[in-house]
Amino acid sequence: MKILEAALARIKPVDPALLAAAQAKLDNKTKPLGSLGRLEEFGRRIAAISNSMKPDLSKKVIYTFAGDHGVVEEGVSAFPKEVTPQMVFNFLNGGAGVNVLARHAGAEVRVVDMGVDFDFGALPGLIDRKIARGTKNLAKEPAMTRDEAVAALEAGITIALDARSEGVAILGTGDMGIGNTTPSSAIIAAFSGISVRELTHRGTGINDAALEKKIRAIEQGLAVNRPDPADPIDVLAKVGGFEIAGIAGLVLGAAAAGIPVVIDGFISTAGALIASELHPNVKEYIFAAHKSVEIGHTFMLERMNAEPILDLQLRLGEGTGAALAMTLIEAGAKVLCEMASFEEAGVSEQNT
Amino acid sequence: MKILEAALARIKPVDPALLAAAQAKLDNKTKPLGSLGRLEEFGRRIAAISNSMKPDLSKKVIYTFAGDHGVVEEGVSAFPKEVTPQMVFNFLNGGAGVNVLARHAGAEVRVVDMGVDFDFGALPGLIDRKIARGTKNLAKEPAMTRDEAVAALEAGITIALDARSEGVAILGTGDMGIGNTTPSSAIIAAFSGISVRELTHRGTGINDAALEKKIRAIEQGLAVNRPDPADPIDVLAKVGGFEIAGIAGLVLGAAAAGIPVVIDGFISTAGALIASELHPNVKEYIFAAHKSVEIGHTFMLERMNAEPILDLQLRLGEGTGAALAMTLIEAGAKVLCEMASFEEAGVSEQNT
């Protein structure tokens, strides 16, 4: 509990004076005022969060958190549970979607085992933070204990703090866990009170029968466990997942350490939502990579006041959207650093 | 006229069998079917246009076409006309927005003088295709003669064909020309018949008085010149611009040569619209980089059936949006080339 409390105590609002200084620098670049739209927002926020008017985002890391879900026994997913460890091997071999897109973005992928139901032994490249071999079935009982939830959050926090010490300039989140759109939908349902049917979607592509099973599992889970929306750790423990907790911890740690963090899609945003319910200033450190096809995602983003960067109909997870968005965020930082000013370029300024 | 006719004769539809083969390859990658959304569309289309199931987009070039506009004397822009040549120097020195974003995307920027009202002499790095030192004032007379319009189109076509010979894998378009949102608005008004007031926006950021001048200039231009919407070259000549013609030619040449072309924002789309009105299959080679803040842009994209890739509130032009979109299109191509299949990775497939 000490690591979590210390992290929460360290989270500060981003300095408005730094945001204004960065915008003033952008306003003197050779372009009409504001004409680079959201790239200017990215540049300004990265500068303020990093406390540098020449932010360098070359060191980028995406953490892909993996975990299994007891609720899979309810028939909520189109894929069998063994796909979670199979995909961990795929990540470590560099063949998954997130590997391809992270390489393209110049980011490193690091895989964290938060709770996969498989014994990897000492596998080179895999970060072992396993809390348990999968959660319990949230449709019948709490997914994890409160102590497990705190331990998983603290694992994520520690990873972010270590990244900061290592000089990582921007973090990305990703997830792998067969069945994990089910706890993610349950989390937003618990916080918002919106009906489960309204915010539950087909995940990796389930049919009508499986969708009904998924809705029933979530409804049962909320009825049996009664998560308290005023207590985000209670929500996480009762209807969350280990990889979601790791992501929530990483986001908290990023805010505590003052590093920007790019959250991927639906599952990552469930984690970021837990973090932002724990501390309101967390939102200021978050970049929402994209608008997922999952319906519940929009409700999460609205609750966090986050405007997604991309809308490419993605629904893969893993950190794929985070990798793509990182290239745009870094572009915004480079506009701030590399573009010539009117004076430097000898260009006449705008009439006002 | 021969170069234009030859290009139009060469434009073929993209082969549906190649599109299907690329999608089949994507469907066997380790991900739920269709879960990479528009990245899969990009990968599939790039493969089919390039006639390769392993398309390599490492050689990317953005052509930024520059020209001046006689209509600036009507007070339609917030910037003085001398900014056009000043920005050409900025491009050549690598300090403009498009330079920063193209470097980030791994693309080269090449600047083409189509009709800047400045004598650059033999300036290293500048491609000289100057038709005249700026257009005439379209509010009073045709912006250019029909022969000039054809010559400008053919200059663009030749650039695309030369790029193809050089092994460039994907082209991007960009524009520089103080006042050029005025002819762009006039072009979409001429084709669509929508009222000028409805589709005219503030360009680089003009005030209310200048906006009224701009609307009046376009209305006058359409009334005086009576461009024939069934004759795209007539529209281009009477209310277009030299850089817009160069872009239209580049897009036609790309379609003729079988190279994908990424069109930037409002001005580039005006050029692409001229091209796609000249030959309907041109659309199949086009990737629309982003949704511009300019209102008229949406009408253009709808007319071309093009779905913009990004929506970042950009309104700079130069090719900045094209550079950003290229990184996403290349990501789609890499998914096709680099991701592991279910068999390669030993991952279990989806239940159906």
Side-chain angles (χ1 to χ4, degrees):
Chain A
M1 204 62 185
K2 268 195 183 153
I3 293 170
L4 174 58
E5 279 166 7
L8 288 169
R10 275 181 66 187
I11 298 172
K12 301 275 175 294
V14 173
D15 186 350
L18 290 173
L19 289 166
Q23 189 61 53
K25 190 175 172 193
L26 286 164
D27 287 347
N28 202 30
K29 301 292 187 181
T30 46
K31 59 174 184 53
L33 283 173
S35 59
L36 279 173
R38 294 200 65 192
L39 285 195
E40 300 192 25
E41 171 206 323
F42 305 155
R44 178 175 71 233
R45 292 183 58 206
I46 291 292
I49 294 170
S50 316
N51 192 10
S52 164
M53 291 298 127
K54 276 215 165 236
D56 175 1
L57 296 189
S58 45
K59 199 164 169 63
K60 298 176 281 290
V61 178
I62 294 171
Y63 289 92
T64 301
F65 293 87
D68 271 308
H69 297 269
V71 72
V72 165
E73 71 189 28
E74 303 288 330
V76 297
S77 178
F79 283 91
K81 200 172 78 167
E82 64 260 28
V83 167
T84 306
Q86 288 170 350
M87 285 300 298
V88 167
F89 287 106
N90 199 13
F91 296 143
L92 295 175
N93 290 330
V98 68
N99 301 106
V100 174
L101 299 180
R103 274 198 298 273
H104 181 58
E108 187 188 337
V109 177
R110 296 180 188 168
V111 189
V112 188
D113 175 10
M114 293 298 302
V116 180
D117 186 10
F118 185 86
D119 184 5
F120 292 106
L123 188 57
L126 182 63
I127 301 171
D128 179 9
R129 295 288 182 277
K130 199 194 291 281
I131 308 289
R133 285 184 60 155
T135 54
K136 301 281 200 295
N137 181 353
L138 67 86
K140 297 187 174 155
E141 59 186 315
M144 63 188 90
T145 66
R146 190 174 180 98
D147 282 351
E148 286 175 330
V150 170
L153 283 169
E154 294 192 332
I157 291 170
T158 305
I159 288 171
L161 300 180
D162 289 349
R164 167 73 199 222
S165 310
E166 207 192 316
V168 177
I170 185 164
L171 304 178
T173 71
D175 71 285
M176 180 67 224
I178 294 302
N180 66 7
T181 62
T182 296
S184 301
S185 299
I187 287 169
I188 179 64
F191 283 122
S192 69
I194 296 167
S195 85
V196 173
R197 186 166 296 275
E198 194 176 339
L199 48 69
T200 302
H201 188 253
R202 292 173 192 277
T204 51
I206 52 177
N207 59 25
D208 286 353
L211 180 61
E212 285 306 315
K213 284 182 199 163
K214 183 172 170 181
I215 291 170
R216 203 159 51 233
I218 298 168
E219 285 175 344
Q220 268 182 36
L222 295 172
V224 167
N225 291 302
R226 304 175 59 90
D228 176 4
D231 178 358
I233 297 176
D234 189 58
V235 174
L236 174 63
K238 286 176 172 167
V239 299
F242 291 124
E243 80 280 47
I244 295 171
I247 291 165
L250 190 85
V251 172
L252 283 172
I259 325 181
V261 58
V262 187
I263 57 169
D264 192 37
F266 187 50
I267 286 86
S268 283
T269 310
L273 183 60
I274 299 283
S276 78
E277 298 282 332
L278 280 166
H279 197 301
N281 293 134
V282 162
K283 299 183 189 83
E284 301 178 30
Y285 296 84
I286 285 174
F287 292 78
H290 73 104
K291 182 180 181 329
S292 165
V293 172
E294 284 281 336
I295 305 162
H297 193 224
T298 302
F299 294 104
M300 292 174 176
L301 292 173
E302 278 172 10
R303 199 172 166 90
M304 293 168 57
N305 250 326
E307 186 69 38
I309 295 171
L310 288 163
D311 183 2
L312 295 173
Q313 276 100 67
L314 305 178
R315 53 180 172 83
L316 178 55
E318 302 180 357
T320 47
L324 292 173
M326 273 183 170
T327 68
L328 301 175
I329 295 164
E330 188 172 15
K334 287 184 175 175
V335 163
L336 185 72
C337 298
E338 299 179 19
M339 257 186 85
S341 67
F342 284 102
E343 197 183 15
E344 285 162 354
V347 172
S348 309
E349 295 200 41
Q350 192 162 6
N351 303 319
T352 44
Chain B
M1 203 65 183
K2 268 197 184 150
I3 293 170
L4 174 59
E5 278 167 8
L8 288 169
R10 274 180 68 187
I11 298 171
K12 301 274 173 295
V14 173
D15 185 351
L18 290 173
L19 289 166
Q23 189 60 52
K25 190 175 172 192
L26 286 164
D27 287 347
N28 202 30
K29 301 292 188 181
T30 46
K31 58 174 185 53
L33 283 173
S35 60
L36 279 174
R38 293 200 65 193
L39 286 194
E40 300 192 26
E41 171 206 323
F42 306 155
R44 179 175 71 232
R45 291 184 59 206
I46 291 293
I49 294 170
S50 317
N51 193 11
S52 165
M53 291 298 127
K54 277 215 163 238
D56 175 1
L57 297 188
S58 44
K59 199 164 169 62
K60 298 175 281 291
V61 179
I62 295 171
Y63 289 92
T64 301
F65 293 86
D68 272 308
H69 297 269
V71 73
V72 166
E73 70 188 29
E74 303 290 328
V76 297
S77 178
F79 283 91
K81 201 171 78 168
E82 63 261 27
V83 168
T84 307
Q86 287 169 351
M87 285 300 297
V88 167
F89 287 107
N90 199 13
F91 296 144
L92 295 175
N93 290 329
V98 69
N99 301 107
V100 174
L101 299 180
R103 273 198 299 273
H104 182 57
E108 187 188 339
V109 177
R110 295 180 188 169
V111 189
V112 188
D113 175 10
M114 293 297 302
V116 181
D117 187 9
F118 186 86
D119 184 4
F120 292 105
L123 188 58
L126 182 63
I127 302 171
D128 178 9
R129 296 286 183 280
K130 199 194 290 281
I131 308 288
R133 285 184 61 157
T135 54
K136 302 280 199 295
N137 180 353
L138 67 85
K140 295 187 173 154
E141 59 185 317
M144 62 188 90
T145 66
R146 190 173 180 99
D147 282 352
E148 286 174 332
V150 170
L153 283 169
E154 294 191 334
I157 291 169
T158 304
I159 287 170
L161 299 181
D162 289 351
R164 168 74 200 220
S165 310
E166 208 192 316
V168 177
I170 185 164
L171 304 179
T173 71
D175 72 284
M176 180 65 223
I178 294 303
N180 66 9
T181 62
T182 297
S184 300
S185 299
I187 287 169
I188 179 62
F191 282 122
S192 68
I194 296 166
S195 86
V196 173
R197 186 167 296 276
E198 194 177 339
L199 48 69
T200 302
H201 188 253
R202 291 173 192 276
T204 50
I206 52 177
N207 58 24
D208 286 352
L211 180 60
E212 285 305 316
K213 284 181 199 163
K214 184 172 168 180
I215 291 170
R216 203 158 52 233
I218 298 169
E219 286 176 342
Q220 267 182 37
L222 294 172
V224 168
N225 291 302
R226 306 175 58 90
D228 176 4
D231 179 358
I233 297 176
D234 189 59
V235 173
L236 175 63
K238 286 175 172 168
V239 299
F242 291 125
E243 80 280 46
I244 295 171
I247 291 165
L250 190 86
V251 172
L252 282 173
I259 325 181
V261 57
V262 187
I263 57 170
D264 192 38
F266 187 51
I267 286 86
S268 283
T269 310
L273 183 60
I274 298 283
S276 78
E277 297 281 333
L278 280 166
H279 197 301
N281 292 132
V282 163
K283 299 185 188 81
E284 301 178 31
Y285 296 84
I286 285 175
F287 292 78
H290 73 105
K291 182 179 182 329
S292 165
V293 172
E294 284 280 337
I295 305 162
H297 193 224
T298 302
F299 294 105
M300 291 175 177
L301 292 172
E302 279 173 8
R303 198 170 166 91
M304 292 167 57
N305 251 326
E307 188 69 37
I309 295 171
L310 289 162
D311 183 2
L312 296 172
Q313 278 101 65
L314 306 177
R315 53 179 172 83
L316 178 55
E318 303 180 357
T320 48
L324 293 172
M326 272 183 172
T327 68
L328 302 175
I329 295 164
E330 188 172 15
K334 286 183 176 174
V335 164
L336 184 73
C337 298
E338 298 179 18
M339 259 185 84
S341 68
F342 284 102
E343 198 184 15
E344 285 162 354
V347 172
S348 309
E349 296 199 42
Q350 192 161 7
N351 303 320
T352 45

